[in-house]
Amino acid sequence: TDLIRRRRLDNLFYGGTFALRWQPPVNLPGMAGAPLLTLGGALSRYEGEHFGEIIWTDQFAGIQKDHRYYNNDAEKLDANLFLKTEVSFGSGWASFLDLQIRGVRYTFLGYDKDQNNVSQTASHRFFNPKLGITYSFSKKWMVYGFWGTGNREPNRDDYTQSTPESRPLPERLSDLEAGVRAGGENWLFVANFFRMDYRDQLVLDGRLNDVGAYIRTNVPQSDRTGLEVEASFRLVPRLLLTGNAALSRNKIRAFTEFIDDWDTGEQVIVSHRNTELAFSPNVIARGEIAFDLIPGGS
């Protein structure tokens, strides 16, 4: 019979964070002050209920209104702990070191190797270090450098629409940045160079997994390199010009694409080298002119 179905979500997300900051009441040799230590972390839980209901049928089908014809619960537990040290040296130098460990645990309904919907779990543990340093020439000019590593687990669809054998791996990013920041009473200028190297970045390649869904796959090596510029100028007290631009090169070093061939019912394999990352434009720019109609207003 004709019917109307409604697919819904009922989600809960809750958790907490904490941070303990401590600075010894002593000055160490070669430092402008004692180092500042921060111990922090977070714990959160996500409960996602995905379900569908039959809300109307043309002919009586032996089921009640709002009959729930499927139910898929998922839970995600996310915990992290970090230790951060900030140090100020003499002559305008300062640095920080941030060490984080993070654990993620999923519980969900997914497919096994026999294409049966069964309850599954997936767990990951990550180590994310970060290091930064700054040097201030004066109150107006500053240069900085940053290096950090981050990891990201696959998303919910990557888990629920695959079996453990076809499931992708987490992404890993190594980020190196350097820049300059300058500003005065009526102007601001920031230029930032970045180089991001990915391992196992998740992208769509056109293949179907072993349960018939399009999947994201890991590409071994990809990168983003570019320059970000931001500037603002107050020409007169009531007129402000601002803008920013990002120029980048975003490449996958080697990539195999799978394209459906509707004539043969098979897939065509196409190999790419140094191809562009999808949804990653090489130029992004923005400009704005702001004028205060009322002097001194906000």
Side-chain angles (χ1 to χ4, degrees), residues 237-257:
R238 297 167 62 186
L239 180 62
L240 178 67
L241 304 180
T242 64
N244 61 279
L247 311 175
S248 61
R249 175 185 177 273
N250 312 287
K251 295 289 186 179
I252 298 176
R253 300 179 193 177
F255 176 59
T256 302
E257 180 184 13

Side-chain angles (χ1 to χ4, degrees), residues 72-92:
N72 185 349
D73 295 339
E75 297 180 357
K76 179 181 178 181
L77 186 66
D78 193 327
N80 72 79
L81 184 70
F82 72 89
L83 177 63
K84 183 177 181 180
T85 304
E86 301 171 74
V87 180
S88 295
F89 302 95
S91 305

Side-chain angles (χ1 to χ4, degrees), residues 25-206:
V26 294
N27 291 336
L28 301 179
M31 298 183 183
L36 177 62
L37 304 177
T38 304
L39 175 66
L43 176 66
S44 65
R45 183 182 181 88
Y46 167 80
E47 300 176 2
E49 187 178 7
H50 298 243
F51 59 93
E53 299 170 331
I54 305 241
I55 63 174
W56 176 87
T57 60
D58 185 41
Q59 303 292 330
F60 180 69
I63 60 175
Q64 299 298 318
K65 183 179 182 298
D66 297 332
H67 168 73
R68 187 170 296 189
Y69 68 93
Y70 92 94
N71 197 75
N72 185 349
D73 295 339
E75 297 180 357
K76 179 181 178 181
L77 186 66
D78 193 327
N80 72 79
L81 184 70
F82 72 89
L83 177 63
K84 183 177 181 180
T85 304
E86 301 171 74
V87 180
S88 295
F89 302 95
S91 305
W93 290 93
S95 67
F96 78 88
L97 175 65
D98 188 339
L99 304 175
Q100 183 203 58
I101 55 175
R102 177 172 175 254
V104 180
R105 184 176 185 271
Y106 276 108
T107 303
F108 56 93
L109 186 66
Y111 294 94
D112 65 9
K113 62 184 178 65
D114 297 318
Q115 270 95 85
N116 298 313
N117 272 121
V118 296
S119 295
Q120 299 186 36
T121 60
S123 300
H124 298 288
R125 288 181 294 274
F126 303 122
F127 175 57
N128 302 317
K130 302 177 182 66
L131 175 65
I133 188 168
T134 62
Y135 175 65
S136 299
F137 294 95
S138 64
K139 293 182 178 180
K140 293 184 177 181
W141 288 86
M142 179 188 72
V143 294
Y144 61 87
F146 169 85
W147 173 84
T149 296
N151 297 270
R152 185 173 66 175
E153 67 277 6
N155 63 28
R156 181 182 183 277
D157 287 345
D158 295 325
Y159 286 116
T160 61
Q161 298 180 14
S162 65
T163 71
E165 289 76 16
S166 65
R167 193 170 297 155
L169 301 172
E171 299 175 317
R172 182 177 179 86
L173 165 67
S174 179
D175 182 23
L176 178 64
E177 300 189 21
V180 58
R181 181 184 180 92
E185 183 178 356
N186 295 313
W187 62 281
L188 172 70
F189 175 77
V190 181
N192 181 72
F193 168 80
F194 62 89
R195 168 73 181 193
M196 299 179 177
D197 285 300
Y198 293 87
R199 295 294 181 271
D200 295 324
Q201 186 176 15
L202 288 165
V203 299
L204 288 167
D205 68 353

